[in-house]
Amino acid sequence: MNILIERVGRVAIAQLNRPEALNALNSEVMQELISRLQLLDSDPEVGCIIVTGSEKAFAAGADIKEMKDKSFLQMFNEDFFSGWDAFCALRTPKIAAVSGYAFGGGCELAMMCDMIFAADSASFGQPEIKLGVIPGMGGTQRLTKLIGKSKAMDMILTGRKMSAEEAERSGLVARVFPAKDLLRETISVAEVIASYGKPSAMAARETVEQALELSLREGVLFERRVFHALFASEDQKEGMSAFIEKREPAFKHR
Ligand code: CAA
């Protein structure tokens, strides 16, 4: 089993479990991760998903041994890495809890999540240039949108590593914790997210995602229409009633 799943209440934790290759992401790992997460995604009892690795490695990249001998036509015909689109299509909020190496595809997988929490020991990088290639799982695009052109160019053209502290300062990482506290702290944040109505959480992340895709005018219109749509949900009535009645809301989550 390349992926271990654990449930803590409404939080699901998916742990990459390929220690012999520092969680390198081969096709088998990708397919197993996505198929396990798709089941959790459609479960209304799962309100937040944490994707994590080991203390030493979140993931050391796409599997270099799997790719090394492939021809252009094989890569093109397989549309190599396009399978990751299904990960990005998951609608449940996802937090990457990164400890150790998040290199190449590992950094790119973390960026496909909705936010990244890092151990103070975490190390991020896009070292593909050292292998004679470039990032291929979205790194040139997502890293640039997350930390800006100059810093993304620095990372991608030199292949250098970025510490957790620099990653937080740059906006790649949302929060940094001591390594021993990372999972516990991430679970408590995930529990907060999972306590809200799942439809509003899904709508919120989907709308924030649109900020990376749309112009300001289109994005604000998208947001307004989603905001209007949420008035069809029971959670909106419950959330607003609870505020006025000075009590905790009891969200239905579905
Ligand atoms: N692919 C395949 N195998 C990998 C791997 C990867 N990305 N990263 C590590 N491994 C394997 C090693 O080959 C080694 O296996 P063997 O015992 O069979 O030799 C095992 O994992 C342990 O690795 P190391 O002995 O190298 O461990 P280390 O602690 O000395 O070094 C490391 C750790 C610095 C992360 C080093 O393993 C490393 O540099 N890995 C490659 C990082 C990299 O280049 N990532 C980008 C991959 S390309 C990519 O991701 C493309 C894309 O855009 C998606």
Side-chain angles (χ1 to χ4, degrees):
M1 288 241 277
N2 293 302
I3 308 297
L4 305 177
I5 303 286
E6 194 190 332
R7 289 280 295 271
V8 180
R10 291 180 48 75
V11 175
I13 303 158
Q15 183 179 16
L16 301 168
N17 179 42
R18 198 183 168 216
E20 69 283 5
L22 299 179
N23 292 331
L25 303 165
N26 63 11
S27 301
E28 196 181 301
V29 172
M30 176 187 76
Q31 277 153 16
E32 198 178 318
L33 177 67
I34 291 170
S35 61
R36 302 289 298 276
L37 292 189
Q38 280 170 336
L39 288 177
L40 297 168
D41 195 45
S42 56
D43 182 346
E45 297 309 321
V46 174
C48 190
I49 295 170
I50 296 170
V51 180
T52 194
S54 68
E55 199 180 329
K56 183 170 182 190
F58 176 74
D63 193 311
I64 300 167
K65 293 169 189 165
E66 182 184 36
M67 293 184 290
K68 177 183 160 288
D69 291 324
K70 285 190 185 282
S71 67
F72 160 73
L73 265 187
Q74 280 174 305
M75 295 298 266
F76 181 73
N77 288 339
E78 291 172 28
D79 203 5
F80 203 78
F81 288 150
S82 64
W84 288 106
D85 292 349
F87 181 92
C88 301
L90 298 167
R91 301 176 71 206
T92 306
K94 292 171 294 305
I95 307 176
V98 175
S99 190
Y101 309 120
F103 292 159
C107 185
E108 292 166 296
L109 173 60
M111 289 191 288
M112 285 181 220
C113 295
D114 298 317
M115 60 190 121
I116 303 175
F117 289 176
D120 49 9
S121 59
S123 180
F124 298 84
Q126 297 289 165
E128 290 87 349
I129 193 112
K130 298 180 183 176
L131 301 169
V133 289
I134 66 169
M137 278 169 55
T140 61
Q141 305 304 298
R142 289 197 179 88
L143 193 63
T144 307
K145 290 195 193 279
L146 295 180
I147 67 174
K149 174 184 158 183
S150 190
K151 242 180 164 25
M153 286 286 192
D154 178 12
M155 298 293 296
I156 290 167
L157 285 175
T158 66
R160 79 172 173 90
K161 295 176 201 152
M162 187 187 265
S163 67
E165 187 272 326
E166 185 185 359
E168 186 187 28
R169 191 161 21 94
S170 308
L172 175 62
V173 159
R175 309 192 198 190
V176 179
F177 300 106
K180 66 176 178 25
D181 300 332
L182 174 69
L183 198 57
R184 186 169 46 79
E185 295 284 359
T186 306
I187 292 171
S188 51
V189 176
E191 281 173 332
V192 172
I193 295 169
S195 74
Y196 301 129
K198 188 165 179 178
S200 33
M202 289 194 301
R205 62 159 298 284
E206 200 167 304
T207 307
V208 173
E209 276 288 319
Q210 290 300 319
L212 301 179
E213 307 275 352
L214 302 177
S215 70
L216 181 62
R217 184 193 294 264
E218 291 166 318
V220 169
L221 181 60
F222 184 88
E223 176 194 88
R224 195 177 302 143
R225 294 298 178 235
V226 175
F227 181 74
H228 296 162
L230 287 169
F231 282 72
S233 73
E234 285 184 49
D235 285 342
Q236 176 267 324
K237 297 288 173 287
E238 171 59 14
M240 293 192 178
S241 300
F243 173 80
I244 291 162
E245 292 160 17
K246 301 188 190 304
R247 60 174 174 83
E248 285 300 311
F251 291 120
K252 289 236 178 334
H253 302 301
R254 58 184 88 205

